[in-house]
Amino acid sequence: MAPSSKNSAQTALDLLVLTVLERRGPLHGYGIANAIQELSEEALRVEEGSLYPALHRMEEAGWIAAEWLTTENKRRARMYRLTRNGSQQLLSEHERWKNLTGGVARVLRYA
Amino acid sequence: MSWFSRLLNTIRPERLDDELEAELNDHLARRAEELAAKGLQSEDANYQARLRFGNSTAIRENSRDTRLVSGLETLLQDVRYAFRGMRRSPIFVATALLSLSIAIGANTALYSLIDAAVLRPLPVPHPERLVTLAIPNLEGSGNSLPAGGESQSFSYPFYQTFLKAAGTAAELAVASFPGKSEVRDDSSTARRHRVNHQMLSGNAFQTFGITPAIGRLLSPIDDQHRGAVPFAVLSYDYWQQHYQADPQVIGRTLYFNPEDDSQSQPFEIIGVAQKGFFGTEPGRLVDVWTPVVMYHAKALEQEGWSFFRIVGRLANGVTPQELQQRLQPSFHAFAMATVERNPTMSASVTKQLAAMQIRVHFSPNGSSEFRNQFARPLWIVFGVAAGVLIIACSNIASLLLARSSARSTELAMRVSLGASRRRLLRQVLTENAVLAFLASIGGGMIAYLTTPLLVNALSTNDGPVQFVLGIDMRVLGFCAVITSAATLLFGLLPALQAGRVAPMEVLRKGSGQTAKLRMGRLFVGAQVAFAFSLVVLGAAFLFSLNKLVSVKPGFDAKSVAVLELTNESFSKPQQHALVQQLQARFAQLPGVDAVSAACWSIFGGSFWGEQVFFPEGRKSEREELFYGVTPRYFQTLKTPLIAGRDFSATESSSDTWVSTIVNEAFVKKYFPGENALGKVFDHSSNDKRIHHRIVGISADTHYSDLHTPATPLVYVPFDGDMRFTMYVRSHLSAGSLGRLADTETRELGHGLRVTNIIQLQTLVGESILKEKLLAGVGGVFALLGLGLAAIGLFGLLNYSVTRRTKEIGIRGALGASGGQITLLVLRELVVLLGGGLSAGVVLACFLSILVKPLFFGVAPIDVSVFLTAMGLFFATAIIAASIPAVHAASVDPLIALRQE
């Protein structure tokens, strides 16, 4: 999937996932979903399932990597972590996001 | 994730599916646990977890697509589906695979032969700048070369002049026509064996750009040491096979047979040419090269001895025309010198020589006698094979149509369930591609097995035809191209038809079939048209062969063996005595009916032409054929002597008056209405007149082929030579004759030895090899086409009868008799045949005119050929139609009407 064709909701979700993984280290999908809800104080609550296609897409793009690991209570889970590509992507997405929100904020303030 | 893992996921999607399932289930389980920990009942917790998760199937599909190559996965799905479908209709698949395999195999086999013989450039650097010199054939010079053709034979003095004239415009080299030689090396276990031998000028390897695999090659400097460079270069293949790639071969000695090209001195092996180089002549793979300057001196000095091809490489930027202009002045000088040397030359020949232009041809693929002889018939047979492929494809197309009507319910169901038409089209095309792919494997195997047989069938006594065959990229590429062409040809229309399926109509049963039937008729019509023209061609070739075989050659070839002999005596009287003694000894052998010797065998490709002068100053316009034979020749070959007598043992060609026997054609031409016995004429030899007196007149015989009518022929007494031929009429097998001959020749000594035994019938048979190829392959392909067309007709009629069962039932119920119903089917057959046949007749006329030079005794549009083909076709069609017709006639109205 070409980055240019992404809509802003996708961009936002990507940015959130990358940020969470950067701050908290490797996490499984459930953990990421919980973290996003927690941090956004339930404001960004969407269908939890829609997180997974996004995760797999980012994995395909090489921003994050996944492997099956045994977690607490000897359960196996697919753990995601940030790759070096992902860190760079995070920086640029962050920049884009700031530009976008800055622009929107200016419009809201002066329109 | 890498491409590799995506590919893995594509091929084995189950693993990916499991993994996705596990990940999503893990999430659901964790959420449910958390909710349960908050106090929800486990059932509610599960429900809530699912609710918050959303549409898990959609999510899974979405994720799945990102993690595998989705186009490829669909393809694999289609391929699996195609295989399942094929297992369901084994008879259809077997018919389609078999016919398509044979068609692809035939095309590939012929292509690989044509590629090797005609198309493929020589394996040398920059073959596109190679050229060959040629001169047009003289008309009426007696050497039986076809008028309008050209010759590539030049003498060595010609070459030397051209070499100077060409200057820097081109490198010119000389190469002999590859021939058989017997060689033996100096090792203790050595035995004589036959090799393909070619003589080259020293610069030839350099001209072609060939490097040595080991040792060194002939070098340009060699040409300046006439008779003093006894070097031999081996081909890579010969080195591998005969010397097991032993590098110690360098420095070994090679002995040629003394009578072979007089190269009696030992030759030192100096090197092996680079891998893949086989000389300049596709069809003959050379084993050993020697320097041309080691050939006997006379051959290098006589301007009349045209034993060599002149090949060359143009310098950068030089065109063949520029080289031609450089060479033309010296060529003209040569031609005029020839005219001056031969004051007896006829005016028409003199005029031709004065105006003659040397020709320079591009020859990136070398020069080949095989190609000259067989290129045209091979292209025709290739065209016929293409016709079979077209028939096979339209056959499969009509079978597919019939099958797709059986599948229309399935396809309609899938459309109603939301399958896109593109997807359906793709799936049907995939099924066809799978079919074609399997057929191409079968076809490739057929080609691999049959090509060597084909090459074998075209080999003659003169030496086996050899090619670098093998499955290479060019042949595989061709196979792939025709396979995809076939897929489109037979698959596209039925696939489009399938994509256009209208679910409402199909599910309501009925209509929509008419269009399909119409298309089926189109395909069957095409099959009929092509098959008919193939049958016409096949019949014409068979008729030609039959006409040729029934040509009376003027002699009885049956149970006559032709022995080729050599000896090492150099004096004429001794040679004469040897021939006479051998003939006498053979005549005594048990089981031998008659024996005679001759300078060479008829139907063997050797000629001796002389202009003939009559006392009153009359002379022949063209050179007439001369042939030297010993007494009892006419008895041995059972050619009747019409008047006069046979030669006697004491007569010789060196008598003051040479006793001569001429054939009827000669008498008819030069002594019409007269008694030719006792008449005299001359021929000239080295400025001397040789006088002939006619002592006998023989019946006409064919001398070198069955195609041209018997020509005038002059028999003179044969006095022996270093090589000669014995005709033995006997009841002995070749094996026992060979053993007897070995004993007799050994006892006579002087190195007398049999080099080859062959039946005269075989030699005559080889002169019609081209026609045998055309009739054999053409006939087989015609039958194949006919069979396929019959299957097509049967399939369509059968389908139409099945479709009309209800109608037939009603007709039966209303009182139509079985015969009337049979007529109904036959009427449909006539309609089907009518259109196809009229197209077929036009196509057949067109093709016949195109290939008419290869017919013999058959008019380009021959009524008997067309009628035979028509009759054969109708007979086949009636057989094909009879089963559906009988089936229709036996439809029970009660059962037919109770259906549904």
Side-chain angles (χ1 to χ4, degrees), chain B residues 205-274:
Chain B
F205 285 110
Q206 188 186 303
T207 303
F208 286 121
I210 300 299
T211 54
I214 59 166
R216 64 193 168 88
L217 303 175
L218 306 180
S219 72
I221 207 87
D222 292 348
D223 288 347
Q224 286 154 30
H225 300 90
R226 205 171 271 198
V229 279
F231 301 141
V233 173
L234 308 184
S235 80
Y236 191 87
D237 279 357
Y238 178 68
W239 177 55
Q240 294 274 317
Q241 280 155 25
H242 199 258
Y243 289 103
Q244 286 77 45
D246 178 9
Q248 300 298 318
V249 75
I250 307 277
R252 293 269 277 275
T253 308
L254 217 52
Y255 297 96
F256 284 84
N257 245 0
E259 83 280 4
D260 281 323
D261 317 323
S262 307
Q263 306 203 335
S264 49
Q265 69 184 108
F267 279 73
E268 182 195 344
I269 298 174
I270 56 167
V272 174
Q274 83 184 41

Side-chain angles (χ1 to χ4, degrees), chain A residues 30 48-49 52 56 75 80, chain B residues 23 27 31 33-34 53 63:
Chain A
Y30 176 75
E48 288 174 8
Y52 284 91
H56 295 146
R75 280 168 69 158
Y80 293 88
Chain B
E23 187 173 15
H27 181 109
R31 178 65 65 211
E33 269 166 40
E34 192 195 294
F53 194 79
S63 274

